[in-house]
Amino acid sequence: MHISTNPWVWIAAILTLAIYSFLYKDNPFYKFAEHLFMGLSIGYGAVVLWYNSIIPRLWNPLAHGTSPSRFYLLIPIAIGLLSFGIFSKKYSWLIKYPLAFSVGAYAGFSIPVTFEASIFEQISGTILTKQMMATPWLAISNLIMFVGVITTITYFYFSKHHKGLLGKSARTGIVFLMLAFGASFGYTVMARISLLIGRMQFLLHDWLGIIK
Amino acid sequence: MLKKQIPLAITFITGVIIVITFFIPHPPFGRLQQDALTWYSVIFGFTMLLGVDSLVRFHYRKLRRREKGWWFSIIFYGGFLLSFITGVVSEVRFGDAFNINSSFMYFYNTILIPLQSTMFALLAFFIASASYRAFRARNIDATFLLVTAVIVMLGRVPVGYMLWHKLPNLTSWILNVLQLGPMRGIMIGIALGTVAMSLRLILGIERTYLS
Amino acid sequence: MILFILFSTITVKAFDTPNDGGGSITIKAYNVPETVKKALVYRKTEGDTTYTLAGVMSILSYRYVDADSTIKNGKPYYYRVDFYFPDTVISVVSDSPGIAYAQWYDKSKTSSLIFLIVFSTLVLVFIQLAKKDPEGLYIRKIPALDAIDEAVGRSTELGKPTFFVHGLLGITDAGTLAALTILRRVAKKVAEYDTPILVTNFDPIVMTASQETVKQAYTEAGRPDAYNEKNIIYLTYEQFGYTAGVDGLMVREKPGAIFLQGYFFAESLILAETGHSVGAIQIAGTTAKEQLPFFVAACDYVLIGEEMLAASSYIGREPVMLGSVKGADWGKAFLMGIIGIGVVLGTVGAILQSAGNGALMNVFEKILAFF
Amino acid sequence: MGFWDRFLKIDRRWVFLVVWIAVVIPLLKPLGLPTHITPPVKKLYDYIDRMEGEDKAVFLSFDFDPSTMPELLPMGVAIIRHCFAKKIPIIVYGGLYPQFVGMAKMAIDMAKTDFPDIVYGKDYVFLGYVPGLSLVILSIGESIQGTFGNDYFGNRLDTLPLTMHVDNYEKIGIVVDLSGSSIPASWVAYAYQRYGCRIGCGTTAVSAAQYYPYLQTGQFVGMLGGLKGAAEYEELLERNGIPTGRRTATIGMDAQSVVHLLIILLIILGNIGYFYVRRRERRA
């Protein structure tokens, strides 16, 4: 056994144990670690927001920029400030302005971006090419993949009765969906357990030095 | 008018301008798209600030009223100030808060990270308890899900190979083929649903957000 | 001498960078021998006597995009590229000057434009048709939405509260907007049955929207007096803090029905597991495809991806909304048609190509390249 | 109340305890389950292995933070060890986001221990963070010296023998990106599709599924998926006589096997109880 002499390892280990104590029951140690974690990560988030957004996007252009158009940046700041209206009963409707802009902008951006990034990419991946049919096994696999795409889409067909061919296809689509969910389930479980193992190795190796 | 029509008009105009300028590189339109993105991120920054602000106020209220567990709010403020102040100090000292030698990154690596990964690792325990309490083969669909999950879980560890040496291959095939199709289908569905939703928002048909 | 002939075949072309807002010229080199080690691009304009260094050309793609801030539209720029070989340096001058222009239309985005037009037209046409003939509209059953009444009803019978848990994204997310519509339906039922509701929020803006939504639902149900703003609570703007908060409420209040609606991350499993353990009927909905498996395994009903986005049409049954859903469905049919045509063309093309006729394969490859 | 009723109502803390034991025991007493090598890992290993003696470098990018560290860090350590043992020059890049650089530092420190004759600047170089995200990937195609200027320690890159020689993708045999996000796709889009540089990928178990198509199309040379991928790479090092140090991933895999079996068992038991109780209630 080689117990760590590094105080930071000790701090990390104690905090790790404090969080695990939640598994027994909610207790002051867990609450302590949880609140510390919340405070640190919000503070961290604030620093990241400050240095990655506010400084390069607002401060630098406004303070050091030369182009006259930089003062347009004051408009979104003014709109953004309206958000703080929600803290007052009387002026809470002011938030509708930044909201209206955000929703409009987000919707506007998402339309072409969704086409390019999600739809086209998925479709061009689904259209079977010659390479995808190179061997019989590959051909069968890709055919199954193709059926999976089509039947899943038909499951999300809302404006028609799901009966007859559409009904059968939608039903197959659900089965495909469940198989896919099962696969993704298995993978996610694996990842979470890997994390747990990582933490345990930290406790047993880095901190207590029980395992080599 | 001030509370409904004008916001709707703002949504419509912003949305339409951004969609159209996507296709026009010629100035000033090409730049408009970029500017709108900057505006959006600035305004979005405020909504994030609002979240942080609400949280800070929440704990302030708890402290002032000495609500149950108020002293945890002191811990919250302690953590908040610790990372915020070290962030500022590191920026001044190193010119970059993210410099590996800065105290900010040191706190990040030695405290925040272990806390974060421990939080995520808690999920392993919940998965185990959900496995026997909640994951039920209620119907044939749920059965498909659970059986596939079990195959994948076995196929990705050495035990699976020992049980049946083709299991890893079957797992890869499930992931490559069986999973790919439906995931694509679901993505196409969500994408089309999002576009339809965006159109409804721009046209002012969907206006829940203004209620 | 042989080397010289080899080198002299290099040509350099300078042209306006396509599909941009101007201020940029592309320089491309052709027939460059692979032995080249480095290629530097120099620029001069009318009136300059010497070239100045513009940048380093990629020796894999043999392309350099000169977007220097000094470049003005409509003005000719002359380029020289120096190719460094192990033993010599060859300078090649572009055969004509490059002139930058701004384009009015980005050709590389044609496919998006076509889809945008087709899709919006479909949606708009069906909205118009729906307005004219509201009777002819149909929407398939979505069991998870039908189960709302049952869940709230059962919760009332048991004398337990109903929980509505928002996801972690803000109000611009399509899933959050859909969740608000679902909340409205839930709140209306709750008001009718006169049973308590608790709405938990992650985001302060979503919280104000939720307050308005619930208030309206109570008014619609004719019970504005029963609305209590304190039932819509803000928890925290931090993932695990939120999870712990909701968990604690579930364990203490033992709700009879739980709605988990919106975009969730890793916490989905913890919430669903705790909800299941207190014996509540759970109706989940999310567009987060990574979290769907956990909801499907642990909840009674789940709105899967797009089902959630169709919720506002399903619940409201307004012709305009239903029309947009129908339009989106035709969009799906259109996409499936394209995939189908692509597959047929590709297969037939491949067969014909192996028989010596590559024309169809060319068409197919053009279609693929279109995306 | 019968056995199954009580079993289904068991306090979940007992389950937590069993999970705890299932993780700790294999860590304390490794079972030594054999590691089966899968083709994507073998391909990546072989590709790097064949670079021995060639005049090209491996470019290893650490694009992850501690939340995925248990899965991805052992991959980084194993690949660095591979390069050190075979004297394949390696550029370790601290990643596209500033938070990632600590991971790379840790991996180098862990890998260095068994290779005393490795010289900094000649055998490996450590690059730090520069802003620009995908633009960084693009501009490495033009010039590494131009993009970074200095290494992580502040040395000018044009003074280090390795980076004097390797200045863009032309001299990079492979870029290996370790990430659980969409960043490997950016490396494919910019480094592979624009500059033809080959890409390998190490990713989390969760993300591996989404990257299988990249393997199929050959956009990735090979791929390490999750802790298992890392364990396979460690196994390949071991088989080829390369010092592996502490085989973090392999040790972890034993625990992983046991916990997977436990969870499967819990699902089965839970469902047996569920069906038993349901059938009895139907009869009643």
Side-chain angles (χ1 to χ4, degrees):
Chain A
M1 252 173 73
H2 299 280
I3 295 184
S4 171
T5 49
N6 180 345
W8 292 105
V9 170
W10 275 83
I11 291 176
I14 289 168
L15 288 174
T16 302
L17 289 177
I19 286 179
Y20 282 137
S21 71
F22 176 73
L23 293 171
Y24 180 66
K25 72 179 215 208
D26 200 0
N27 63 68
F29 297 105
Y30 170 72
K31 277 238 162 64
F32 175 89
E34 186 204 357
H35 281 79
L36 182 68
F37 175 58
M38 265 159 50
L40 284 171
S41 54
I42 294 284
Y44 178 79
V47 173
V48 171
L49 185 73
W50 183 257
Y51 292 114
N52 288 358
S53 290
I54 296 176
I55 297 259
R57 290 222 173 96
L58 283 179
W59 180 253
N60 285 346
L62 280 174
H64 308 298
T66 47
S67 111
S69 67
R70 71 182 189 274
F71 292 110
Y72 287 138
L73 279 173
L74 294 173
I75 303 175
I77 295 178
I79 300 179
L81 281 172
L82 294 178
S83 321
F84 287 93
I86 66 166
F87 292 119
S88 124
K89 273 258 166 327
K90 203 171 156 202
Y91 297 107
S92 67
W93 58 274
L94 281 175
I95 196 175
K96 289 181 180 178
Y97 286 83
L99 261 187
F101 179 84
S102 305
V103 168
Y106 192 79
F109 283 121
S110 70
I111 292 176
V113 168
T114 312
F115 277 132
E116 299 223 316
S118 300
I119 300 182
F120 293 165
E121 201 181 311
Q122 300 310 323
I123 288 183
S124 60
T126 308
I127 296 178
L128 306 174
T129 58
K130 228 171 101 186
Q131 296 93 304
M132 287 160 81
M133 301 292 230
T135 64
W137 178 239
L138 213 55
I140 291 171
S141 295
N142 279 309
L143 218 60
I144 293 175
M145 186 272 292
F146 170 74
V147 173
V149 177
I150 297 290
T151 53
T152 312
I153 296 180
T154 56
Y155 173 73
F156 293 111
Y157 215 88
F158 294 105
S159 57
K160 279 240 170 5
H161 265 292
H162 276 191
K163 56 185 185 191
L165 185 63
L166 182 64
K168 285 206 182 75
S169 170
R171 180 74 204 126
T172 319
I174 299 182
V175 173
F176 266 109
L177 272 175
M178 291 302 146
L179 296 174
F181 287 159
S184 141
F185 182 108
Y187 249 104
T188 313
V189 169
M190 180 159 179
R192 303 292 179 238
I193 293 167
S194 301
L195 270 180
L196 172 61
I197 293 168
R199 289 322 292 155
M200 293 306 257
Q201 293 211 10
F202 166 76
L203 287 179
L204 298 175
H205 174 77
D206 298 11
W207 181 44
L208 293 177
I210 298 175
I211 57 171
K212 266 193 284 176
Chain B
M1 179 73 184
L2 268 177
K3 297 186 184 178
K4 201 104 200 183
Q5 267 81 0
I6 293 181
L8 280 176
I10 293 178
T11 306
F12 177 77
I13 294 167
T14 322
V16 168
I17 287 179
I18 290 175
V19 172
I20 291 177
T21 51
F22 180 75
F23 299 98
I24 309 176
H26 202 287
F29 301 101
R31 274 209 57 84
L32 222 54
Q33 166 103 9
Q34 274 304 312
D35 289 346
L37 195 62
T38 312
W39 282 34
Y40 173 73
S41 58
V42 170
I43 292 176
F44 184 73
F46 274 98
T47 58
M48 270 174 73
L49 214 59
L50 208 62
V52 175
D53 190 54
S54 301
L55 190 55
V56 172
R57 274 170 198 247
F58 175 79
H59 284 286
Y60 176 68
R61 235 188 353 259
K62 260 186 135 173
L63 263 176
R64 208 188 46 196
R65 295 191 194 148
R66 291 283 192 278
E67 282 176 32
K68 193 169 162 260
W70 58 271
W71 65 275
F72 291 117
S73 298
I74 299 179
I75 308 293
F76 169 82
Y77 277 117
F80 179 77
L81 291 176
L82 188 67
S83 55
F84 195 79
I85 291 172
T86 51
V88 175
V89 169
S90 305
E91 171 76 17
V92 174
R93 262 187 69 197
F94 295 94
D96 172 15
F98 300 103
N99 188 299
I100 191 78
N101 298 317
S102 71
S103 47
F104 179 67
M105 280 319 273
Y106 202 73
F107 274 117
Y108 178 76
N109 281 324
T110 49
I111 302 186
L112 193 53
I113 291 325
L115 278 171
Q116 194 192 9
S117 37
T118 311
M119 281 285 184
F120 274 99
L122 272 183
L123 287 163
F125 291 97
F126 285 95
I127 283 175
S129 96
S131 295
Y132 97 110
R133 297 203 308 182
F135 298 158
R136 295 280 180 261
R138 275 186 205 90
N139 45 40
I140 186 81
D141 294 338
T143 314
F144 277 128
L145 188 155
L146 289 177
V147 170
T148 322
V150 167
I151 295 176
V152 170
M153 274 157 64
L154 277 179
R156 297 294 297 170
V157 286
V159 170
Y161 180 75
M162 287 161 70
L163 286 175
W164 183 41
H165 72 284
K166 285 243 163 78
L167 206 57
N169 297 351
L170 176 66
T171 309
S172 306
W173 187 80
I174 288 176
L175 295 167
N176 276 329
V177 178
L178 280 189
Q179 176 178 254
L180 192 59
M183 281 297 165
R184 281 197 168 133
I186 234 182
M187 275 168 80
I188 291 174
I190 293 175
L192 285 176
T194 308
V195 173
M197 174 79 95
S198 300
L199 282 174
R200 292 201 295 256
L201 283 168
I202 292 175
L203 296 174
I205 298 172
E206 176 96 45
R207 45 178 84 170
T208 335
Y209 66 101
L210 287 179
S211 67
Chain C
M1 192 61 202
I2 294 166
L3 272 176
F4 178 70
I5 290 167
L6 193 67
F7 288 150
S8 67
T9 58
I10 302 177
T11 49
V12 169
K13 280 192 165 44
F15 50 88
D16 172 42
T17 307
N19 303 321
D20 71 348
S24 152
I25 295 170
T26 301
I27 297 93
K28 191 155 175 29
Y30 300 89
N31 300 327
V32 186
E34 278 184 11
T35 47
V36 69
K37 290 283 165 216
K38 191 164 82 173
L40 299 180
V41 180
Y42 295 84
R43 163 189 356 101
K44 77 166 185 180
T45 183
E46 279 169 343
D48 289 352
T49 45
T50 53
Y51 285 94
T52 48
L53 182 65
V56 187
M57 176 182 269
S58 160
I59 49 169
L60 291 159
S61 62
Y62 305 119
R63 252 166 69 95
Y64 179 73
V65 177
D66 188 12
D68 195 85
S69 57
T70 57
I71 292 183
K72 298 218 164 36
N73 290 340
K75 205 172 156 193
Y77 290 90
Y78 300 86
Y79 286 91
R80 189 191 82 208
V81 184
D82 290 358
F83 296 92
Y84 288 76
F85 292 92
D87 43 4
T88 176
V89 178
I90 303 285
S91 293
V92 183
V93 177
S94 67
D95 40 11
S96 58
I99 302 172
Y101 295 105
Q103 277 77 38
W104 280 103
Y105 172 62
D106 185 344
K107 282 185 201 145
S108 66
K109 288 172 178 160
T110 303
S111 51
S112 292
L113 185 64
I114 292 175
F115 267 73
L116 178 64
I117 292 171
V118 170
F119 194 76
S120 335
T121 315
L122 282 171
V123 170
L124 292 177
V125 163
F126 280 103
I127 287 177
Q128 288 308 317
L129 285 178
K131 277 186 190 160
K132 272 190 198 140
D133 174 27
E135 296 304 307
L137 292 164
Y138 172 82
I139 186 159
R140 78 156 161 90
K141 275 185 94 58
I142 300 180
L145 292 173
D146 290 339
I148 292 180
D149 296 9
E150 177 204 333
V152 177
R154 210 191 71 150
S155 188
T156 313
E157 277 169 27
L158 294 172
K160 288 176 169 181
T162 296
F163 268 33
F164 191 98
V165 180
H166 273 293
L168 267 55
L169 285 188
I171 200 147
T172 47
D173 173 57
T176 308
L177 290 169
L180 283 171
T181 323
I182 295 166
L183 172 61
R184 187 161 173 168
R185 173 75 184 183
V186 174
K188 201 174 159 197
K189 276 289 145 200
V190 163
E192 282 169 10
Y193 290 147
D194 194 19
T195 167
I197 185 172
L198 200 66
V199 184
T200 59
N201 297 276
F202 179 79
D203 181 302
I205 296 172
V206 175
M207 180 181 78
T208 33
S210 296
Q211 284 172 344
E212 291 297 322
T213 307
V214 175
K215 199 163 153 189
Q216 274 185 15
Y218 271 72
T219 314
E220 275 169 34
R223 312 237 21 227
D225 51 305
Y227 169 71
N228 183 356
E229 204 184 85
K230 291 214 169 71
N231 290 336
I232 291 109
I233 54 172
Y234 169 77
L235 279 177
T236 154
Y237 199 67
E238 206 287 318
Q239 186 185 14
F240 287 102
Y242 184 69
T243 314
V246 175
D247 252 18
L249 283 170
M250 281 182 189
V251 173
R252 277 198 299 279
E253 308 281 332
K254 301 237 178 328
I258 297 174
F259 294 85
L260 303 162
Q261 302 286 341
Y263 203 100
F264 291 91
F265 296 88
E267 69 285 350
S268 68
L269 174 87
I270 302 184
L271 296 175
E273 201 267 350
T274 314
H276 184 274
S277 74
V278 299
I281 289 196
Q282 298 199 90
I283 301 182
T286 188
T287 49
K289 57 182 194 309
E290 295 78 12
Q291 305 307 329
L292 276 166
F294 295 112
F295 281 154
V296 172
C299 295
D300 300 271
Y301 296 94
V302 184
L303 290 161
I304 300 169
E306 203 193 350
E307 283 185 317
M308 195 183 180
L309 303 181
S312 54
S313 316
Y314 190 81
I315 292 173
R317 307 267 165 156
E318 283 170 44
V320 189
M321 293 277 197
L322 289 174
S324 81
V325 168
K326 197 164 184 180
D329 275 358
W330 278 94
K332 266 168 240 163
F334 178 68
L335 289 179
M336 285 195 282
I338 289 184
I339 297 176
I341 292 171
V343 169
V344 171
L345 267 184
T347 316
V348 177
I351 296 167
L352 283 183
Q353 197 182 33
S354 53
N357 185 343
L360 206 54
M361 207 61 210
N362 287 339
V363 176
F364 174 68
E365 260 139 32
K366 287 229 169 68
I367 292 179
L368 261 190
F370 178 71
F371 290 108
Chain D
M1 232 170 50
F3 167 75
W4 288 109
D5 299 83
R6 257 176 296 157
F7 178 76
L8 289 179
K9 291 210 170 61
I10 202 171
D11 191 327
R12 70 177 180 193
R13 280 176 290 193
W14 290 109
V15 180
F16 294 161
L17 185 69
V18 176
V19 173
W20 197 271
I21 294 168
V23 176
V24 171
I25 291 192
L27 288 181
L28 291 177
K29 275 227 161 294
L31 311 173
L33 294 173
T35 309
H36 164 66
I37 309 291
T38 54
V41 177
K42 181 92 173 93
K43 276 185 200 151
L44 185 63
Y45 180 90
D46 287 346
Y47 191 93
I48 293 177
D49 209 55
R50 275 198 302 271
M51 284 171 60
E52 185 181 0
E54 262 187 37
D55 187 26
K56 288 188 171 182
V58 169
F59 190 95
L60 182 62
S61 181
F62 283 72
D63 288 312
F64 61 94
D65 68 9
S67 65
T68 49
M69 185 175 91
E71 292 177 84
L72 301 179
L73 190 68
M75 299 179 186
V77 176
I79 292 171
I80 296 175
R81 280 175 171 272
H82 190 188
C83 294
F84 281 0
K86 294 288 172 93
K87 281 278 162 71
I88 302 164
I90 178 167
I91 297 176
V92 179
Y93 173 37
L96 298 176
Y97 287 87
Q99 302 92 297
F100 298 163
V101 76
M103 302 290 106
K105 177 91 171 45
M106 224 186 266
I108 294 174
D109 290 343
M110 284 162 79
K112 245 183 353 198
T113 50
D114 288 315
F115 304 94
D117 56 334
I118 286 292
V119 181
Y120 183 80
K122 179 174 145 293
D123 298 308
Y124 77 104
V125 168
F126 183 14
L127 297 176
Y129 167 78
V130 286
L133 303 179
S134 51
L135 285 179
V136 175
I137 305 180
L138 272 180
S139 75
I140 291 172
E142 308 295 347
S143 163
I144 291 177
Q145 287 175 25
T147 310
F148 292 91
N150 299 324
D151 71 355
Y152 170 80
F153 305 103
N155 306 309
R156 285 179 54 94
L157 290 178
D158 51 13
T159 61
L160 301 172
L162 174 55
T163 39
M164 266 162 68
H165 179 62
V166 178
D167 196 37
N168 56 32
Y169 292 124
E170 198 208 352
K171 285 278 179 204
I172 293 173
I174 185 171
V175 171
V176 182
D177 188 40
L178 305 177
S179 171
S181 67
S182 61
I183 294 174
S186 304
W187 284 98
V188 168
Y190 298 110
Y192 175 66
Q193 276 161 7
R194 302 256 177 113
Y195 292 98
C197 184
R198 300 313 306 268
I199 311 290
C201 166
T203 189
T204 55
V206 175
S207 302
Q210 96 190 54
Y211 284 120
Y212 268 107
Y214 285 81
L215 271 177
Q216 231 175 21
T217 52
Q219 285 163 305
F220 284 159
V221 172
M223 180 170 85
L224 314 182
L227 200 57
K228 175 149 191 288
E232 288 174 33
Y233 209 98
E234 285 175 355
E235 174 71 18
L236 283 168
L237 293 183
E238 174 95 39
R239 283 186 197 172
N240 291 287
I242 296 168
T244 54
R246 183 169 176 270
R247 290 176 62 173
T248 324
T250 312
I251 297 168
M253 261 339 260
D254 280 349
Q256 186 102 36
S257 280
V258 174
V259 182
H260 278 203
L261 285 179
L262 172 68
I263 285 180
I264 291 166
L265 186 73
L266 287 172
I267 293 179
I268 293 171
L269 285 177
N271 276 290
I272 292 177
Y274 167 73
F275 279 108
Y276 179 80
V277 172
R278 196 170 72 167
R279 212 175 63 181
R280 203 189 50 203
E281 277 168 6
R282 275 192 191 157
R283 278 196 195 144

